[in-house]
Amino acid sequence: RFFKANGISNPVKGMILDDAFGMDMYQYLTSSSNDHFYKGFIQTFTTDSAEWQKGSPLTYLSAINNPHLILVGGRTYPSIQVQSGCLYEGLLAKKVPATLYWRPRKKHIGMISYMFFGWDRQYRMILDFMKEY
């Protein structure tokens, strides 16, 4: 909608999510008040749960049609694992091309840093995805 509002055709061909956080801020903020990140997110998203939903990509799942490559660490934050799985299942249900790749022993920082190592399979998967779409 932002591209359309500015007279630009959508240039996004696909999405690469590397251990992405925040797919569903409503789910996270309603269930994680004891999490040490909670206060920071409340400062960003306010205490208004409607704003949490507006800031959550899963709220807009029905409008998502671009292919997705979703990379998730097996030792990352539980909310990332759960929400990435929800996104993946939702995309498959809509018949949107999606690949979910788990890195069993990787934590969040490891997932992000491996994106830069050309010898790593994750790096090659990202390049292959970009070439395909």
Side-chain angles (χ1 to χ4, degrees):
R1 79 173 193 252
F2 297 111
F3 296 123
K4 188 175 183 177
N6 289 290
I8 301 169
S9 64
N10 186 352
V12 179
K13 304 294 183 209
M15 296 296 297
I16 300 168
L17 302 174
D18 186 6
D19 218 48
F21 178 81
M23 297 290 105
D24 188 344
M25 291 308 296
Y26 180 84
Q27 182 275 332
Y28 173 77
L29 291 170
T30 57
S31 64
S32 303
S33 61
N34 294 329
D35 187 306
H36 67 279
F37 296 113
Y38 181 83
K39 286 175 88 174
F41 286 120
I42 286 295
Q43 288 176 328
T44 301
F45 288 94
T46 77
T47 56
D48 182 356
S49 63
E51 293 299 314
W52 306 346
Q53 290 175 318
K54 285 183 193 175
S56 301
L58 280 170
T59 299
Y60 309 100
L61 184 60
S62 65
I64 298 173
N65 296 308
N66 294 1
H68 279 61
L69 172 61
I70 305 167
L71 307 159
V72 182
R75 293 185 182 170
T76 194
Y77 301 105
S79 61
I80 292 175
Q81 293 175 341
V82 169
Q83 293 176 15
S84 293
C86 289
L87 176 62
Y88 176 69
E89 293 298 324
L91 293 170
L92 290 183
K94 289 186 61 199
K95 309 245 186 295
V96 173
T99 300
L100 178 64
Y101 178 64
W102 289 86
R103 303 281 318 246
R105 294 184 297 258
K106 296 293 175 208
K107 293 181 180 181
H108 184 65
I109 299 300
M111 288 297 295
I112 304 306
S113 63
Y114 267 85
M115 184 169 63
F116 299 102
F117 298 128
W119 48 264
D120 186 72
R121 181 169 188 233
Q122 182 173 321
Y123 182 91
R124 290 189 311 272
M125 287 180 76
I126 291 169
L127 286 180
D128 290 345
F129 181 84
M130 292 184 341
K131 288 176 188 174
E132 185 175 349
Y133 297 104

